[in-house]
Amino acid sequence: MNFDMNAFSLEGKVALITGASHGIGMAIAEAFAAAGATICFNCSSENSRDRALKAYKEDGVDAHGYVCDVTDETQVQALVKQIKEEVGVIDILVNNAGIIKRIPMTEMTAEEFRQVIDVDLNAPFICSKAVIPDMIEKGHGKIINICSMMSELGRETVSAYAAAKGGLKMLTRNICSEYGKYNIQCNGIGPGYIATSQTAPLRERQPDGSRHPFDAFIVAKTPAERWGVTEDLMGPAVFLASDASNFVNGHVLYVDGGILAYIGKQP
Ligand code: NAP
Ligand code: GCO
């Protein structure tokens, strides 16, 4: 029996990566482009989109960029329709757009809680609902939800984020359950602690020039003894977007340097 390495190819596929103006989403988009996909991304402002388009072009990626608030179903439905008309039917959706608010729960307002749930959980529902009908008609589809270690663990000040990412793990399993029969695979990627703008506050140098305590904590908790970088997510994302994973469904692939498996270095 021969294995065809083209199983990892994304040639001819149209991918929408939400929130891919920088960070993890941009890395995933660039990996998909390297694998042959046509890249579409959205973000929340024209400035962000235009900066991202310039960055993609500098990296040799001819991306299609859109401004669309993923929490607004009308905007998302219009985005999917516009991409279908301008680029083609979306074969791969990555629900990457996300926010976090680090506030002790008893100090967090209900509105702040709702804002995080809206972007990190309601939006993946809205975006997935928008692309699934065309995936059914086409006979295949890939949905990748960017979950988190907080899909499994809690920690102080991230109650809304953990609730959202825990829910996103179960939404992943439910899309698998409901649409697997249409050859749609919905999986999650659970990044560990990755050096992006979202985690920058956790890595800032202290006034005395020393490392942020959380920075040292994470390195001690990670068997790889380092923070992740966005490049670490590229291969796993291409795998889950490709035909090589057509019998993988409802799974969350943790890309965390081993944190979830490790009790942590003895102090
Ligand atoms: P990031 O650098 O903060 O980027 C977030 C992206 O989401 C930006 O492109 C932002 O667009 C977009 N976005 C936010 N709200 C939006 C909305 N309402 N509509 C459209 N776009 C919106 O984040 P990141 O670190 O790359 O994280 C990306 C994903 O990975 C998130 O879901 C995050 O929860 C998850 N994650 C991150 C880590 C980590 O350690 N960094 C670990 C696990 C999971 P603008 O540029 O317009 O603001
Ligand atoms: C935090 C971090 C984490 C990471 C990520 C870990 O404040 O604990 O932001 O939530 O972003 O989600 O997987």
Side-chain angles (χ1 to χ4, degrees):
M1 183 186 304
N2 296 319
F3 177 71
D4 181 356
M5 283 301 288
N6 284 319
F8 290 96
S9 169
L10 302 183
E11 284 295 338
K13 297 288 173 56
V14 174
L16 169 61
I17 304 94
T18 68
S21 60
H22 51 260
I24 288 171
M26 178 171 272
I28 290 175
E30 296 205 342
F32 284 6
T38 299
I39 301 306
C40 304
F41 74 94
N42 74 296
C43 52
S44 48
S45 72
E46 285 187 5
N47 284 342
S48 195
R49 177 203 59 197
D50 295 345
R51 264 200 317 274
L53 282 170
K54 187 168 177 291
Y56 278 113
K57 202 161 188 66
E58 285 165 0
D59 289 348
V61 177
D62 185 16
H64 301 263
Y66 303 87
V67 176
C68 171
D69 177 353
V70 290
T71 67
D72 182 321
E73 186 162 32
T74 305
Q75 286 188 41
V76 169
Q77 291 280 347
L79 172 66
V80 170
K81 183 171 179 290
Q82 187 178 357
I83 289 173
K84 188 172 175 178
E85 288 161 359
E86 293 177 355
V87 186
V89 170
I90 293 166
D91 301 289
I92 303 160
L93 167 68
V94 180
N95 286 307
N96 167 77
I99 61 171
I100 191 168
K101 291 182 186 298
R102 299 184 182 93
I103 306 168
M105 195 176 115
T106 52
E107 297 165 29
M108 180 180 265
T109 66
E111 180 50 30
E112 287 166 328
F113 188 92
R114 264 193 294 271
Q115 285 167 5
V116 176
I117 298 291
D118 219 9
V119 179
D120 295 7
L121 181 56
N122 292 347
F125 159 78
I126 288 170
C127 294
S128 301
K129 180 185 161 191
V131 303
I132 283 172
D134 283 336
M135 288 180 172
I136 291 173
E137 195 173 325
K138 210 169 178 184
H140 66 255
K142 296 282 188 180
I143 297 174
I144 299 171
N145 293 322
I146 306 300
C147 296
S148 161
M149 286 180 42
M150 274 58 218
S151 298
E152 303 293 342
L153 303 171
R155 84 173 185 87
E156 299 80 0
T157 77
V158 297
S159 59
Y161 185 83
K165 294 297 188 180
L168 186 56
K169 174 175 73 173
M170 288 314 301
L171 178 63
T172 300
R173 290 179 179 167
N174 215 76
I175 293 171
C176 151
S177 307
E178 201 163 354
Y179 297 101
K181 59 176 170 278
Y182 299 107
N183 190 27
I184 293 171
Q185 292 84 46
C186 180
N187 291 289
I189 286 178
Y193 280 84
I194 313 294
T196 70
S197 54
Q198 191 241 50
T199 55
L202 306 174
R203 291 177 282 106
E204 276 164 1
R205 283 281 167 187
Q206 301 302 282
D208 64 2
S210 63
R211 285 170 70 181
H212 192 298
F214 198 88
D215 179 358
F217 166 69
I218 286 302
V219 171
K221 278 284 285 178
T222 308
E225 295 189 343
R226 67 173 173 87
W227 281 74
V229 292
T230 57
E231 289 78 3
D232 290 321
L233 298 156
M234 291 171 128
V238 169
F239 165 64
L240 288 178
S242 73
D243 289 340
S245 61
N246 283 351
F247 205 57
V248 178
N249 213 349
H251 182 75
V252 177
L253 177 57
Y254 286 97
V255 184
D256 65 356
I259 294 185
L260 282 175
Y262 184 38
I263 194 169
K265 201 178 293 306
Q266 184 179 346

